[in-house]
Amino acid sequence: MTSIAIDGPAGAGKSTIAQSVARTLEFIYVDTGALYRAVGLFALQNNIPHTDDAALIPRLSEIKVELDYQDGQQLIFLNGRDVTGDIRGPEMGLIASDVSAFPAVRDFLLGLQREMTTKYNVIMDGRDIGTVVLPGAQLKIFLTATPEDRAMRRYKEFIAKGSKITYDQVLGDIQRRDANDIGRATAPLKPAQDAVMLDTTGNEFEQSVAQVLKIIRERGLA
Ligand code: DC
């Protein structure tokens, strides 16, 4: 089985790029951010403050998260209910970022992520895939772009979905999330030592996809 890790900050284009590459190569695309978002949604639905680890950790045993795939789309289930759409609200990113800082939450989701690589060729995106989840991945890519470029991308996505959010709000969220994800003690966002760095600032989507495919093919992985 082949595993490709794509890490990077929020809005760098990881998920859209990885999804497109996975489709081309007939790999399974695993969006690990969705797992943290599902735990965040559980906290929200159960009135558990998402910054309160003492309240959340004892409740993890009540959570069952499952992934399924339909036409190459990842679906995520929280205790049997499809929450693929519910985890995408603008507020869910920060909530996920908060719960993801708790080591017990990270441990709770680790097995599921690794299990995927025993069954499928995967392209897995996240923050710590190359450093912690799959240190033995055959290829690690670290995608970056400036905060402004990432915020503009996310802003356009939210507007297209009918959200009333402003660009400045999205930029503020991205900056807070970067600080959270980079600054946390456990599995912080950082490139693996052997990661290939790719800056997508100013790129058209197709350019980034072509660059990633080129790296994969140069490595002989497809
Ligand atoms: O990729 P995303 O924006 O859906 O991720 C939401 C949050 O989940 C992100 O801000 C940090 C956390 N996360 C993480 O800590 N580790 C991962 N592998 C993926 C996401």
Side-chain angles (χ1 to χ4, degrees):
M1 292 292 159
T2 300
S3 301
I4 297 173
I6 301 194
D7 289 303
K14 296 184 302 292
S15 60
T16 41
I17 294 167
Q19 207 163 359
S20 166
V21 169
R23 209 178 281 273
T24 303
L25 301 182
E26 299 187 347
F27 277 34
I28 292 279
Y29 163 59
V30 184
D31 164 14
T32 63
L35 304 174
Y36 294 93
R37 286 170 182 262
V39 173
L41 184 65
F42 174 85
L44 194 66
Q45 288 173 341
N46 289 278
N47 296 314
I48 303 167
H50 45 90
T51 49
D52 185 351
D53 55 340
L56 178 60
I57 306 308
R59 307 284 301 272
L60 289 176
S61 58
E62 294 171 37
I63 302 180
K64 188 164 184 217
V65 182
E66 291 161 295
L67 297 178
D68 196 8
Y69 291 86
Q70 226 171 56
D71 305 324
Q73 282 298 111
Q74 175 179 289
L75 302 179
I76 181 152
F77 294 82
L78 173 61
N79 292 335
R81 200 168 72 81
D82 183 348
V83 294
T84 311
D86 298 347
I87 59 167
R88 291 291 150 203
E91 75 287 4
M92 290 310 304
L94 262 179
I95 295 176
S97 177
D98 281 339
V99 301
S100 77
F102 305 141
V105 170
R106 307 200 70 81
D107 279 351
F108 174 68
L109 296 172
L110 190 59
L112 174 59
Q113 295 171 76
R114 289 193 176 147
E115 198 187 300
M116 298 301 291
T117 69
T118 64
K119 295 190 232 164
Y120 309 106
N121 292 323
V122 300
I123 296 188
M124 188 174 287
D125 92 24
R127 304 293 187 287
D128 62 335
I129 308 307
T131 52
V132 176
V133 179
L134 307 176
Q138 284 89 338
L139 172 65
K140 301 169 185 177
I141 295 177
F142 196 86
L143 275 187
T144 56
T146 61
E148 291 75 17
D149 201 82
R150 292 186 278 124
M152 184 50 78
R153 244 178 252 166
R154 273 286 148 93
Y155 170 69
K156 285 180 182 161
E157 282 168 17
F158 285 133
I159 295 300
K161 283 190 208 156
S163 168
K164 296 262 185 298
I165 201 157
T166 66
Y167 167 78
D168 285 341
Q169 274 173 299
V170 179
L171 180 60
D173 278 359
I174 289 239
Q175 286 166 334
R176 272 198 296 282
R177 213 128 71 84
D178 282 358
N180 263 0
D181 296 349
I182 293 167
R184 70 176 175 231
T186 307
L189 169 65
K190 66 169 181 208
Q193 264 181 348
D194 51 349
V196 179
M197 303 296 289
L198 191 59
D199 189 333
T200 64
T201 304
N203 268 9
E204 293 294 333
F205 168 66
E206 290 75 15
Q207 270 174 290
S208 302
V209 170
Q211 285 171 338
V212 170
L213 280 171
K214 184 164 175 273
I215 297 168
I216 293 172
R217 291 190 171 123
E218 277 170 0
R219 292 277 178 111
L221 296 173

